[in-house]
Amino acid sequence: MDPDSSGEDEPLLGDDNKPKNKRRGVDMITLLLLASTVLLNAASAVFAKRMYNAFGTEFVFARSQLTNLMYDIWASLWVGYKLIFTKDITPAMRRFPLWKLAILSCFDALSDLLSSIGGVNTLGSMQTLLQQTQLVFVLILAYFALQRRYSVWQILGCTVIIGGAVLAIIPQFVNEHKAKKAGKETTQGIWYFTVVYFVSNIPKSFSYVGKEWCFQQMVLDVMWVSCLVSWMQLGLAWVFYPITTIHVFGGVPFDKVGHVMKDGFRCFFGDINVIVHDHGGYHQCSSYVTYITLAFSISGFLAGVSQLYVMQRASSALMITATVVGLPLANLAFCIKPFMGNAVEAVNKWDVAGLCVVVAGFIGYSFAEYKKTQEELRTKWIQYGEAKHQNGTVTHGSGLQ
C-alpha cells in the first residue's frame, strides 16, 4: 500500500498543529500538467506580444483591467459549476482568510501592470527569456518563506538559466547605444522598458510563493483561490494606476482615465477609429484586436490554471522551470510572419545562444528536481516501513501480556 494513498485529500497537521497540504512530487498527472503548461505558455506569450502592440502604452491599464475581467468570468463559471454540482469547495476552504489572498492580488496586479507597460517595447523573444529569471526570485523567497532547501545541482541549473538570459540581454543594450550614437530611433527593445518588464518578475514571484504557502497551510481548491484572487485584483489594481501617469509609461493624467478606459474598450471591440498611442508614434486600432485578446485571455487562463495545479502537486520552482521548455516554441513563433504579422522579429544569434544556455540550465535543474523527489519518496517509504514495524511489535507485545 502506498503510504500516501490514504487521506490524500485530507489536510495534514504539522508540528504547530496547523493543517499542511501534501506535496505529491513528480507523477504522471504532474507530467501531463507540465506538458500543457509548456504549450499554453508558448501560445499565451505569442498572443500577449501581439496584444501589447495592439493596445500601445496609453491603453495599458484599460487592457489590463479588461483581460483581468475576462479571466474573472472564466474562473467564476468554473467555480460556479463546482459549487453547484460538486463538493470540491468545502466550507473550510471558504473560511480561509481573504486578507491573505488580497495580498497576493496586489502582487498580481502590480506584476500585470508592469509587464504590460514593459511588454509594448520589449521584443517578444526577450520577454520569454526574462520571464525565466522568476526562478531565481522564487528559489530565494521559498528558501526563507517555505524553508525549502536546494541541492548544488539545482542552484547550478538556476545560475545557468540566469546566465542565458543575461547573454541575450546585454547585446540589446549595446546595440541601442550604437543606434543612438548613429542618430537612429529605436521603438523596440528600449532599455528602460526591458528593465520594467524584468522588474515585473519580482511581484509575480512573491505571488507564486505566497500561493504555494497557502496551499501548504491547508487543502485549497485551485480554482477557488484563483477566482478570489483575480476578482480582488480587479479592484486593487487601481492602487497602482499612478504608475501609468509617468510620461514614459503612457503619461495619462488622472482626469483622462475615463477617456482612456472608454477608448481602450472601443479598441477591444475593433473600432478602427480609435487612435492608439505608442512610444514610437501612433497607429489605428485594428479589427483583429478582439480575437487576439480573446485568444490571449483563454490561453492565459488555461495556462494559469495548469500552473497552479503543478504548484499544488509539486512546487512553484518546478512550475516555473516548466515554462522554459516553451521558450523554443514561442521564440520560433516570434520569427514567423503568419503568427506575428508586421511585428515579426528577425532571428538574433544572441537570442539563440541565450536560449540554448537557458534550456541547458533547465535540463540540469529538472534532473536535480527529479533526483530530489525520488530521494524524498525513498525516505518516506523507509519511514513508513519502520513505523509499520514498530506498530506491529507493540501490538504483538501487548497480546503476549
Side-chain angles (χ1 to χ4, degrees):
M1 185 175 118
D2 188 336
D4 275 346
S5 63
S6 62
E8 185 173 83
D9 293 325
E10 296 296 325
L12 298 179
L13 293 179
D15 295 335
D16 54 357
N17 239 17
K18 291 182 179 178
K20 306 287 183 182
N21 192 20
K22 291 185 179 181
R23 290 181 64 208
R24 296 173 176 83
V26 181
D27 55 13
M28 184 56 66
I29 296 178
T30 305
L31 289 175
L32 292 174
L33 288 168
L34 287 172
S36 66
T37 299
V38 168
L39 296 175
L40 290 168
N41 270 311
S44 179
V46 173
F47 292 131
K49 178 57 181 169
R50 295 205 63 179
M51 181 184 65
Y52 290 156
N53 293 346
F55 281 94
T57 53
E58 185 181 26
F59 299 141
V60 158
F61 190 78
R63 196 283 312 157
S64 177
Q65 291 293 84
L66 175 65
T67 52
N68 190 45
L69 177 61
M70 294 168 70
Y71 187 101
D72 294 341
I73 294 173
W74 313 142
S76 297
L77 291 173
W78 197 328
V79 168
Y81 169 82
K82 281 176 170 282
L83 289 173
I84 296 173
F85 298 104
T86 75
K87 296 182 180 179
D88 293 347
I89 302 174
T90 64
M93 294 180 188
R94 280 176 269 184
R95 289 194 298 269
F96 191 80
L98 290 180
W99 66 267
K100 295 180 180 179
L101 300 181
I103 295 175
L104 303 181
S105 299
C106 288
F107 287 134
D108 282 339
L110 179 59
S111 175
D112 186 40
L113 183 59
L114 292 177
S115 63
S116 299
I117 292 172
V120 179
N121 292 299
T122 299
L123 294 171
S125 56
M126 185 67 65
Q127 292 180 25
T128 56
L129 283 170
L130 290 175
Q131 287 170 8
Q132 309 322 310
T133 61
Q134 291 176 5
L135 179 60
V136 178
F137 300 121
V138 165
L139 293 182
I140 295 173
L141 291 170
Y143 180 88
F144 292 103
L146 306 177
Q147 286 76 52
R148 191 70 44 75
R149 297 299 179 258
Y150 308 99
S151 68
V152 174
W153 289 106
Q154 285 177 297
I155 296 173
L156 180 60
C158 176
T159 304
V160 172
I161 289 174
I162 296 304
V166 172
L167 182 64
I169 292 171
I170 290 179
Q172 175 184 312
F173 293 95
V174 175
N175 293 335
E176 185 178 345
H177 178 69
K178 290 180 179 178
K180 285 185 176 180
K181 287 185 69 175
K184 297 179 181 178
E185 289 291 330
T186 58
T187 58
Q188 286 286 328
I190 301 172
W191 72 268
Y192 50 82
F193 281 100
T194 302
V195 170
V196 169
Y197 193 89
F198 167 76
V199 171
S200 71
N201 291 320
I202 299 176
K204 178 59 71 176
S205 300
F206 271 93
S207 175
Y208 284 149
V209 174
K211 288 170 185 173
E212 185 178 351
W213 179 84
C214 289
F215 289 140
Q216 288 189 0
Q217 298 306 295
M218 67 177 295
V219 176
L220 291 170
D221 184 83
V222 166
M223 285 311 306
W224 175 250
V225 172
S226 181
C227 185
L228 291 177
V229 169
S230 188
W231 274 111
M232 286 188 283
Q233 178 184 338
L234 193 67
L236 292 171
W238 287 94
V239 174
F240 304 106
Y241 179 82
I243 296 175
T244 64
T245 63
I246 302 173
H247 177 68
V248 293
F249 299 147
V252 181
F254 288 102
D255 59 351
K256 289 190 177 181
V257 62
H259 162 76
V260 168
M261 297 298 291
K262 182 183 71 173
D263 281 1
F265 275 71
R266 285 175 56 200
C267 185
F268 165 71
F269 287 108
D271 188 344
I272 60 174
N273 295 316
V274 175
I275 302 300
V276 178
H277 297 250
D278 196 1
H279 186 82
Y282 308 90
H283 65 268
Q284 280 185 310
C285 184
S286 302
S287 56
Y288 67 80
V289 173
T290 304
Y291 308 107
I292 294 295
T293 308
L294 282 172
F296 165 77
S297 176
I298 294 173
S299 62
F301 171 74
L302 294 176
V305 172
S306 180
Q307 289 173 352
L308 284 174
Y309 275 114
V310 171
M311 186 188 308
Q312 185 187 52
R313 299 182 67 87
S315 70
S316 53
L318 182 62
M319 178 271 294
I320 290 177
T321 56
T323 63
V324 182
V325 182
L327 274 171
L329 298 177
N331 283 2
L332 178 63
F334 289 135
C335 302
I336 300 175
K337 190 172 179 61
F339 289 157
M340 296 302 296
N342 295 330
V344 64
E345 301 173 9
V347 178
N348 186 305
K349 63 180 181 180
W350 292 106
D351 283 347
V352 174
L355 177 62
C356 292
V357 174
V358 165
V359 172
F362 164 76
I363 294 173
Y365 183 92
S366 298
F367 180 71
E369 177 82 12
Y370 174 77
K371 284 188 63 178
K372 187 176 181 181
T373 300
Q374 295 304 308
E375 290 173 0
E376 290 175 350
L377 184 61
R378 189 160 44 247
T379 302
K380 188 181 294 185
W381 270 102
I382 293 173
Q383 293 173 345
Y384 172 71
E386 291 176 348
K388 188 175 181 181
H389 175 72
Q390 290 174 359
N391 290 336
T393 302
V394 171
T395 304
H396 181 66
S398 299
L400 286 177
Q401 292 176 352

